[in-house]
Amino acid sequence: MARLWGLCLLVLGFWRASLACPTSCKCSSARIWCTEPSPGIVAFPRLEPNSVDPENITEILIANQKRLEIINEDDVEAYVGLRNLTIVDSGLKFVAYKAFLKNSNLRHINFTRNKLTSLSRRHFRHLDLSDLILTGNPFTCSCDIMWLKTLQETKSSPDTQDLYCLNESSKNMPLANLQIPNCGLPSARLAAPNLTVEEGKSVTLSCSVGGDPLPTLYWDVGNLVSKHMNETSHTQGSLRITNISSDDSGKQISCVAENLVGEDQDSVNLTVHFAPTITFLESPTSDHHWCIPFTVRGNPKPALQWFYNGAILNESKYICTKIHVTNHTEYHGCLQLDNPTHMNNGDYTLMAKNEYGKDERQISAHFMGRPGVDYETNPNYPEVLYEDWTTPTDIGDTTNKSNEIPSTDVADQSNREHLSVYAVVVIASVVGFCLLVMLLLLKLARHSKFGMKGHDAAFPVREVKPWTGARQKKNPLL
């Protein structure tokens, strides 16, 4: 049943598309093709309102339409998703300058075997075309089509087109042999090849253009944030940029000269110097190593210095600054800590400094609780670990190597602390054991027959009389 409903919807879509198509054309959800010569079309095909969305159309094919002569400015604008446009073997004579202004997705245009006598490059200068095929058109030999000769000469592909034009004698001349006096490419020159300015200042750029035919001058500033205004007088132009923003550092500004034959431009990169700003500093995160992430902006590149509980942090191979991503004037990195313990808990302050100023921010870091201390009930206790002086770190370095010998090995201090605790426990155990043995010995001594005080009923003592020297005779009666 689901497949049946899907098939019905598909058929309905084709039916709606076919109803929206003009005579001699067929339409689908993404394609329009008009190839039937009779009755044919006299205007560029347009879809009816409330039918297929024209933004979804990616290809239009028109062939054998001898009465189609003009493409107006608004004929193609609705097809913003159009990529391929083909009009062949038809009567096309004129294309409006702004016909493809809103069709930035166009990549392939084929106008083979039409009635075009002239075609300006202004139709296509904003498009990133892969193919522009114009063979079989009766072009008039004039400066208006010299841009096609220049395009053929500069094209990297070996597959060039055999283009011809009709000279004053109405004879076909290969476009490659066309020579028109006073018809050449223009030139543009900027006065300042390098542009370096401090944030908040103003600067003025000057440009001169030349060529025959006389070119027009305009400025291409891209997405410049800073306020700017330009003035143009014949072959001279100026661009004034005021209150320059640091966001414009690294952007390109171009002076462009354009005439019938083509265009030329001269560009300059804007470099803005400004004081550092720490835009991001967060509490440490644990991955392969512990990391205190940060983002710093500044130009010239600022030097970085970390402080631990108000004292300068002496970096080593166990605690060091790492820069992971550099984006012109923005630096993303972290303070990397290798196996930190409770000895590393505390306040970490980052200071970024260059010749235009400095900025600093602070975060509190807790890596693990102190042995024997309930951190939740007693989180604050003094820890002074780093007191040695170290030179600031240039943000361009991936590791701070201000000291060749690591000043403090956190892991060794932790091991020594644990050994001290074990030693105290062992000594206390031995002393306690000795005291216990002594008490047992004293108790046994009190119950021994060799005691010094008192008599024990179990062991009576016989009285011994002193010896008088004369042996008494034994009474026989006893």
Side-chain angles (χ1 to χ4, degrees):
M1 182 62 70
R3 291 183 179 180
L4 180 60
W5 277 110
L7 181 60
C8 292
L9 291 175
L10 183 61
V11 171
L12 180 61
F14 277 107
W15 177 72
R16 289 184 60 194
S18 63
L19 288 180
C21 274
T23 307
S24 302
C25 294
K26 297 180 181 179
C27 302
S28 69
S29 59
R31 189 170 181 259
I32 300 174
W33 61 99
C34 308
T35 58
E36 297 296 331
S38 179
I41 58 175
V42 296
F44 196 86
R46 296 190 184 189
L47 297 176
E48 295 294 332
N50 302 322
S51 61
V52 176
D53 191 350
E55 295 183 358
N56 296 329
I57 300 297
T58 60
E59 182 179 3
I60 297 177
L61 169 62
I62 300 174
N64 308 314
Q65 305 301 317
K66 302 299 182 182
R67 296 191 297 167
L68 175 64
E69 298 181 351
I70 298 175
I71 299 179
N72 295 305
E73 289 187 359
D74 58 347
D75 283 342
V76 196
E77 64 180 7
Y79 304 107
V80 294
L82 186 64
R83 297 183 60 85
N84 303 324
L85 175 61
T86 300
I87 303 177
V88 298
D89 298 313
S90 298
L92 187 63
K93 295 180 180 180
F94 176 78
V95 180
Y97 282 148
K98 298 181 180 180
F100 308 122
L101 187 62
K102 297 183 179 181
N103 306 104
S104 57
N105 293 311
L106 259 179
R107 295 294 179 267
H108 306 275
I109 296 179
N110 186 352
F111 288 161
T112 298
R113 295 183 297 276
N114 280 278
K115 305 298 182 183
L116 293 170
T117 59
S118 180
L119 194 64
S120 173
R121 63 178 299 276
R122 295 178 182 176
H123 295 96
F124 317 106
R125 67 180 184 182
H126 66 288
L127 299 177
D128 185 18
L129 291 177
S130 301
D131 295 299
L132 177 60
I133 305 173
L134 300 170
T135 57
N137 285 279
F139 290 114
T140 301
C141 294
S142 67
C143 193
D144 292 340
I145 62 169
M146 278 293 289
W147 69 275
L148 290 174
K149 176 185 176 182
T150 303
L151 180 65
Q152 291 284 89
E153 292 173 347
T154 58
K155 197 173 182 180
S156 58
S157 174
D159 299 329
T160 58
Q161 304 175 55
D162 292 328
L163 299 178
Y164 295 86
C165 64
L166 295 174
N167 60 16
E168 296 178 352
S169 303
S170 297
K171 293 183 179 180
N172 279 336
M173 174 187 293
L175 193 62
N177 299 334
L178 181 62
Q179 298 292 333
I180 303 292
N182 303 320
C183 185
L185 288 169
S187 62
R189 293 294 178 267
L190 275 171
N194 295 315
L195 187 60
T196 301
V197 64
E198 186 178 348
E199 183 182 26
K201 302 293 184 180
S202 300
V203 67
T204 300
L205 294 177
S206 298
C207 181
S208 60
V209 299
D212 196 0
L214 187 67
T216 57
L217 184 155
Y218 67 92
W219 295 90
D220 183 4
V221 297
N223 56 345
L224 195 68
V225 175
S226 306
K227 184 179 179 181
H228 55 279
M229 60 188 70
N230 65 82
E231 296 181 359
T232 304
S233 176
H234 300 294
T235 60
Q236 300 292 325
S238 64
L239 177 69
R240 180 165 178 78
I241 309 173
T242 59
N243 192 22
I244 293 179
S245 169
S246 60
D247 294 331
D248 289 328
S249 187
K251 293 182 179 179
Q252 188 179 76
I253 300 173
S254 300
C255 171
V256 184
E258 181 183 29
N259 63 12
L260 293 175
V261 183
E263 67 178 34
D264 184 37
Q265 68 179 29
D266 195 12
S267 303
V268 63
N269 289 321
L270 179 61
T271 301
V272 183
H273 285 173
F274 58 98
T277 303
I278 302 173
T279 60
F280 177 79
L281 184 66
E282 287 292 329
S283 299
T285 58
S286 176
D287 193 5
H288 183 65
H289 299 280
W290 280 90
C291 169
I292 300 178
F294 65 84
T295 299
V296 176
R297 296 182 69 248
N299 193 28
K301 58 184 180 182
L304 296 183
Q305 177 65 66
W306 287 92
F307 295 85
Y308 172 71
N309 287 338
I312 294 176
L313 175 63
N314 191 23
E315 297 188 20
S316 68
K317 65 180 180 179
Y318 300 103
I319 302 179
C320 56
T321 303
K322 297 284 187 180
I323 302 299
H324 301 302
V325 178
T326 300
N327 183 14
H328 190 57
T329 60
E330 191 171 59
Y331 307 89
H332 305 270
C334 69
L335 179 66
Q336 181 175 295
L337 298 94
D338 188 8
N339 297 323
T341 67
H342 67 283
M343 301 290 289
N344 301 102
N345 296 342
D347 295 329
Y348 288 80
T349 304
L350 174 61
M351 183 177 70
K353 183 177 181 181
N354 66 11
E355 58 189 273
Y356 293 96
K358 67 178 181 179
D359 188 23
E360 61 180 54
R361 287 180 64 175
Q362 183 184 88
I363 57 100
S364 295
H366 175 73
F367 300 99
M368 62 182 299
R370 190 174 185 178
V373 176
D374 186 356
Y375 185 79
E376 294 183 356
T377 59
N378 187 18
N380 299 317
Y381 51 88
E383 300 286 358
V384 179
L385 183 59
Y386 299 103
E387 297 180 351
D388 297 335
W389 180 87
T390 182
T391 56
T393 305
D394 193 309
I395 198 168
D397 298 336
T398 57
T399 305
N400 183 353
K401 297 182 180 179
S402 56
N403 292 329
E404 293 298 329
I405 302 176
S407 61
T408 306
D409 188 338
V410 177
D412 291 344
Q413 287 196 4
S414 178
N415 291 336
R416 288 196 295 269
E417 181 181 354
H418 291 312
L419 289 175
S420 300
V421 173
Y422 295 152
V424 170
V425 172
V426 171
I427 293 173
S429 301
V430 172
V431 171
F433 179 75
C434 293
L435 290 175
L436 181 62
V437 171
M438 291 179 63
L439 288 175
L440 290 174
L441 290 175
L442 290 175
K443 187 173 182 179
L444 290 173
R446 292 184 58 187
H447 298 281
S448 173
K449 65 180 180 179
F450 301 102
M452 297 298 296
K453 295 181 179 181
H455 299 285
D456 198 327
F459 298 94
V461 178
R462 179 178 294 177
E463 183 178 356
V464 179
K465 293 181 178 182
W467 183 66
T468 58
R471 186 174 180 179
Q472 295 181 355
K473 293 183 178 180
K474 185 176 180 180
N475 190 347
L477 297 176
L478 296 176

